[in-house]
């Protein structure tokens, strides 16, 4: 399979799993707080990927892992992942699945700016139009007359900043440390540690409570944290940060659909239009550079 097509397939599959996991994240805080749920799912993600790391990459990364710079990068990526997940959980306390997911994907707007201003990464002109379309799609999904919803939406927007840096730093790190399973596995371990400490301080961490939210935590842990984060990194191997971020934004579309089907969180006409605009932006961001290259011989 073509490498770019493989990465594209991984990115779309990742978005589908992430989108469906928002329902599990919303239902998984009946007995556990945001920090505890985040710790549980990320540690399960680590355990899910650990056998794959041992089988496929242990010999390759044995010496590389002890490089201080690589270790620091993995810890920093884990920190970004942990904060992003915790803020996402807090957003779900105040607003619905569709809004949390779609405002989370405002990282689409932020990734090109992070790539350009921090790393001077050239960006195809189609990305900027796609960003504008995504922005208007997101606006159609919010409820400006509901203060609680606006609070949840605001938390989700702040959360998007951490996801933007996470996506960009993953892409940068893959250039010097191209070991996707190791990155996916160890970022989950470090991220779970960053969530566990505040969980002990601010929440009542109880194994029995974690068992009560077990099905949701297992789904979010094994699939969304383990498998999906690995698919994310494979997706970013052959795709630039800005366009891959737009593909990941499909998680907002999938989350809204699953929230409607499973949680009966109704989608009115404006929300459906917003979802449609985001889907349009995703398609446009992928087709425009290909057309440009064929017509003018450039990207």
């Amino acid at each position: 399979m073509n490498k770019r097509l493989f990465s594209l397939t991984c990115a779309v599959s990742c978005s589908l799993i992430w989108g469906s996991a928002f329902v599990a994240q919303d239902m998984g805080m009946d007995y556990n707080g945001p920090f505890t749920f985040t710790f549980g799912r990320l540690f399960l993600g680590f355990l899910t990927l650990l056998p794959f790391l041992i089988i496929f990459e242990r010999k390759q990364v044995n010496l590389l892992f002890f490089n201080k710079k690589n270790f620091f990068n993995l810890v920093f990526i884990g920190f970004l992942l942990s904060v992003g997940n915790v803020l996402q959980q807090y957003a779900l306390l105040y607003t619905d699945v569709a809004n949390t997911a779609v405002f989370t994907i405002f990282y689409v707007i932020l990734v090109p700016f992070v790539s350009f201003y921090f790393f001077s990464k050239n960006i195809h002109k189609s990305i900027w139009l796609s960003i504008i379309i995504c922005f208007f799609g997101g606006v159609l999904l919010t409820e400006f007359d509901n203060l609680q919803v606006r609070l949840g939406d605001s938390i989700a927007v702040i959360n998007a900043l951490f996801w933007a840096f996470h996506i960009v730093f993953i892409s940068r790190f893959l250039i010097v440390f191209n070991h996707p399973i190791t990155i996916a596995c160890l970022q989950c371990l470090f991220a779970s540690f960053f969530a566990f400490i505040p969980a002990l301080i601010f929440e009542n961490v109880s194994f029995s409570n974690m068992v009560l939210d077990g099905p949701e935590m297992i789904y979010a842990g094994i699939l969304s944290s383990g498998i999906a984060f690995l698919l994310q990194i494979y997706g970013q191997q052959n795709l630039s940060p800005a366009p891959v971020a737009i593909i990941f934004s499909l998680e907002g579309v999938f989350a809204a659909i699953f929230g409607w089907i499973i949680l009966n969180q109704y989608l009115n006409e404006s929300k459906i239009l917003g979802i449609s605009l985001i889907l349009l932006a995703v398609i446009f961001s992928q087709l425009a550079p290909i057309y440009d290259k064929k017509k003018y011989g450039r990207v």
Side-chain angles (χ1 to χ4, degrees), residues 4-268:
R4 183 178 174 83
L5 180 59
F6 173 73
S7 289
L8 183 61
T9 303
C10 288
V12 174
S13 301
C14 172
S15 301
L16 174 61
I17 296 173
W18 278 349
S20 64
F22 272 92
V23 174
Q25 291 174 240
D26 189 45
M27 298 171 64
M29 290 189 291
D30 292 338
Y31 303 97
N32 295 277
F35 285 110
T36 304
F37 185 86
T38 299
F39 159 71
R41 67 171 289 193
L42 291 172
F43 192 72
L44 279 173
F46 161 70
L47 293 178
T48 301
L49 293 171
L50 184 59
F52 295 95
L53 188 157
I54 293 172
I55 294 170
F56 296 108
E57 289 188 359
R58 179 179 61 85
K59 292 182 179 179
Q60 302 172 42
V61 303
N62 191 33
L63 295 176
L64 288 173
F65 177 71
F66 291 100
N67 180 303
K68 289 184 180 180
K69 187 175 182 180
N70 289 337
F71 180 81
F72 173 79
N73 284 330
L74 283 166
V75 172
F76 182 63
I77 289 169
F79 170 76
L80 295 173
L81 179 65
S82 184
V83 177
N85 274 281
V86 168
L87 290 175
Q88 203 171 76
Q89 292 301 131
Y90 270 104
L92 285 166
L93 293 176
Y94 300 102
T95 189
D96 62 22
V97 163
N99 283 33
T100 302
V102 171
F103 281 101
T104 293
I105 64 171
F106 266 41
Y107 56 66
V108 173
I109 299 172
L110 300 171
V111 162
F113 290 98
V114 174
S115 296
F116 182 76
Y117 287 106
F118 283 85
F119 302 107
S120 300
K121 176 73 175 178
N122 291 327
I123 300 167
H124 190 272
K125 58 187 177 183
S126 65
I127 298 300
W128 301 107
L129 180 57
S130 299
I131 288 170
I132 294 170
I133 297 172
C134 276
F135 174 77
F136 283 108
V139 169
L140 290 171
L141 279 162
T142 195
E143 300 170 22
F144 291 101
D145 58 340
N146 188 320
L147 181 62
Q148 179 169 302
V149 170
R150 290 207 307 272
L151 174 60
D153 292 347
S154 299
I155 294 173
V157 171
I158 296 171
N159 155 54
L161 178 64
F162 287 90
W163 287 114
F165 276 97
H166 182 259
I167 289 171
V168 172
F169 274 90
I170 286 286
S171 292
R172 299 293 299 179
F173 191 38
L174 278 168
I175 296 172
V176 296
F177 191 84
N178 191 17
H179 301 285
I181 300 174
T182 302
I183 296 174
C185 181
L186 295 182
Q187 71 165 356
C188 284
L189 175 63
F190 293 132
S192 67
F193 177 76
F194 283 119
F196 182 61
I197 295 175
L200 288 175
I201 298 172
F202 300 110
E203 297 172 359
N204 179 26
V205 180
S206 166
F207 182 74
S208 59
N209 285 344
M210 295 174 75
V211 171
L212 291 173
D213 281 330
E216 293 83 6
M217 196 172 288
I218 289 172
Y219 187 89
I222 293 177
L223 280 178
S224 183
S225 296
I227 305 302
F229 284 140
L230 180 59
L231 288 172
Q232 174 201 354
I233 295 169
Y234 276 124
Q236 290 189 233
Q237 271 190 317
N238 304 293
L239 298 172
S240 298
V244 82
I246 296 177
I247 298 172
F248 290 148
S249 73
L250 280 171
E251 69 173 298
V253 177
F254 292 128
I257 294 171
F258 282 110
W260 190 3
I261 295 172
I262 299 175
L263 300 177
N264 295 317
Q265 295 182 352
Y266 177 69
L267 297 175
N268 57 30

Side-chain angles (χ1 to χ4, degrees), residues 258-287:
F258 282 110
W260 190 3
I261 295 172
I262 299 175
L263 300 177
N264 295 317
Q265 295 182 352
Y266 177 69
L267 297 175
N268 57 30
E269 290 81 1
S270 66
K271 288 193 174 186
I272 292 173
L273 178 58
I275 290 171
S276 300
L277 285 174
I278 292 170
L279 182 59
L280 174 64
V282 172
I283 296 171
F284 178 74
S285 72
Q286 293 305 300
L287 293 182

